[in-house]
């Protein structure tokens, strides 16, 4: 039945629907505290530049302009939940009793992802609540 419905819909609608379903899964993981799983979910959408490469932020910002309104109207929620996920993973890792090279590398990776997210948030060109940027900034400062 699903395949029949997918054939009737255009590719853009199917992609948007799949993206929205993955966002819902991401938000559910975030709410229940499954932050590693949440990070995997939001990375799967490829909506946010979470590869740690700041130079890709502009490409992601360009891509956001072509997203369906059903995704962009909730983008501040997605950004905040993604940054909160990174922040909580960072805090949990930082509080672990061991301080080795792997832990340092993982902390650095999370900081790079957060930095990419901040650069991206500054590049997207649609309106978000003004407190979104302040909240993102607070979480970013906590990680640096």
């Amino acid at each position: 039945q699903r395949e029949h419905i997918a054939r009737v819909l255009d590719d853009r609608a199917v992609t948007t629907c799949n993206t929205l379903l993955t966002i819902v899964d991401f938000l559910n993981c975030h709410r229940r505290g499954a932050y590693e799983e949440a990070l995997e979910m939001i990375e799967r959408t490829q909506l946010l530049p979470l590869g740690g490469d700041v130079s890709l932020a502009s490409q992601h910002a360009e891509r956001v302009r072509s997203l369906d309104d059903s995704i962009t109207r909730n983008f501040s929620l997605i950004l905040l939940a993604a940054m909160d996920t990174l922040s909580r993973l960072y805090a949990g890792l930082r509080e672990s009793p061991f301080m080795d090279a792997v832990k340092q590398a993982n902390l650095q990776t999370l900081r790079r992802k957060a930095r990419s997210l901040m650069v991206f948030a500054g590049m997207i060109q649609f309106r978000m609540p003004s407190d979104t940027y302040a909240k993102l900034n607070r979480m970013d400062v906590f990680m640096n």
Side-chain angles (χ1 to χ4, degrees):
Q1 172 127 4
R2 238 185 221 182
E3 291 175 16
H4 171 70
I5 293 171
R7 275 186 260 130
V8 174
L9 298 173
D10 68 348
D11 289 342
R12 181 175 161 90
V14 171
T15 300
T16 297
C17 184
N18 286 332
T19 301
L20 286 169
L21 289 171
T22 304
I23 291 169
V24 168
D25 290 342
F26 158 69
L27 293 171
N28 286 334
C29 289
H30 178 266
R31 277 191 201 102
R32 72 173 192 268
Y35 300 115
E36 288 182 20
E37 188 179 349
L39 183 58
E40 289 174 18
M41 291 283 175
I42 196 62
E43 285 177 336
R44 190 179 308 153
T45 67
Q46 299 181 345
L47 290 174
L48 308 174
L50 293 172
D53 186 354
V54 175
S55 64
L56 296 177
S58 62
Q59 291 174 2
H60 279 82
E62 283 291 323
R63 206 176 311 151
V64 166
R65 292 186 192 123
S66 66
L67 292 174
D68 190 82
D69 186 49
S70 60
I71 296 172
T72 58
R73 85 178 75 149
N74 297 304
F75 219 74
S76 62
L77 173 69
I78 297 165
L79 282 172
L80 288 170
M83 183 62 95
D84 187 59
T85 297
L86 293 171
S87 178
R88 289 178 186 264
L89 286 170
Y90 183 88
L93 189 58
R94 193 178 69 192
E95 292 170 5
S96 74
F98 303 105
M99 191 58 132
D100 59 6
V102 174
K103 177 181 173 179
Q104 286 299 326
N106 287 337
L107 288 170
Q108 185 64 31
T109 298
L110 290 170
R111 280 193 295 266
R112 274 196 312 271
K113 288 178 187 232
R115 177 57 40 205
S116 294
L117 195 59
M118 288 299 295
V119 169
F120 169 74
M123 290 180 163
I124 54 177
Q125 297 180 348
F126 56 86
R127 295 180 58 181
M128 290 192 293
S130 59
D131 67 330
T132 299
Y133 296 103
K135 290 175 183 176
L136 287 171
N137 207 17
R138 259 194 311 275
M139 287 184 267
D140 183 52
V141 167
F142 165 76
M143 293 176 65
N144 290 303

